[in-house]
Amino acid sequence: MNNSQQRGPGTPRTARATERSQARRAELIAIGRGLFADTSYDALSMDDIARQAGVAKGLIYYYFKNKRGYYLAIIEDAVAGLVQRASSTHDLPPMERVQHTIDGYLRYAEHHQAAYRAIVTGGVGFDAQVLAIRDAVREQLLGTIAHAAWGRAEIPALARTALVGWLSSVEGVTLEWIARRELDRSTVCSLLVRGLGGTLRLIEEYEPACPAPTRPPIP
């Protein structure tokens, strides 16, 4: 039997082992998201996490090194879901894309409240790594909005500053909404989209190279 024949049977086994490992890691992240949704970071020890997850503590160390690594993996996974939900709009006309992006953002916050709060408030206290993750989310969302409004992601400093201000208001409004739940999602979405329309028109006054859409970006 030649070397390629000897190696052949091992390749599928390796691939299957990798798939199982990835699935197990994803399962632990899903479990952790639920745990941290109900209990603060500081209140959960690795023993608590292992017991509630029904796994050996060593398994969590194997995949994530420590509790902080586990927590950051959960936040990064949440960010990926948020960006995917908010930015899956490339086949829509520009203004529908804006509407869909904001609605997707709100839907994510509504259904993943603990993860959303951790992302936009900085996680455990003032956590530089979680804030860096949040900043990466902002960059992707700003790029999505700028591309929908002007067909490009690179924008002047003034336009960027104004959009960051609008996005900060989006985060504040969303946190208030998921905490109090006094408005339906469509109303909040309309409020935020109208606010974006006002911001775009203000940008146009200072940056004629960034004209506001010919019609307001509202439903």
Side-chain angles (χ1 to χ4, degrees), residues 55-164:
V55 300
K57 185 167 61 174
L59 186 65
I60 300 174
Y61 282 117
Y62 173 78
Y63 283 108
F64 306 104
K65 307 301 183 186
N66 51 38
K67 185 174 77 166
R68 178 173 173 76
Y70 187 36
Y71 179 75
L72 289 175
I74 292 166
I75 296 300
E76 288 171 347
D77 183 72
V79 163
L82 172 58
V83 171
Q84 181 180 21
R85 174 67 69 88
S87 303
S88 57
T89 62
H90 300 298
D91 57 341
L92 297 175
M95 290 305 99
E96 290 184 35
R97 191 181 310 162
V98 169
Q99 172 77 20
H100 184 88
T101 295
I102 297 173
D103 184 68
Y105 184 95
L106 291 172
R107 285 177 183 270
Y108 184 88
E110 181 179 20
H111 296 294
H112 303 87
Q113 295 186 23
Y116 179 80
R117 288 190 183 95
I119 292 167
V120 302
T121 62
V124 183
F126 188 84
D127 190 312
Q129 285 183 273
V130 176
L131 288 174
I133 294 170
R134 182 204 64 185
D135 289 344
V137 173
R138 282 184 168 187
E139 287 299 321
Q140 294 187 63
L141 292 176
L142 287 173
T144 297
I145 296 297
H147 194 273
W150 303 303
R152 64 185 191 275
E154 295 297 324
I155 56 176
L158 185 142
R160 174 186 170 81
T161 299
L163 286 179
V164 169

Side-chain angles (χ1 to χ4, degrees), residues 165-182:
W166 170 79
L167 185 55
S168 296
S169 74
V170 169
E171 294 169 351
V173 167
T174 303
L175 288 171
E176 171 73 6
W177 173 59
I178 61 177
R180 301 176 72 89
R181 300 307 299 272
E182 295 174 339

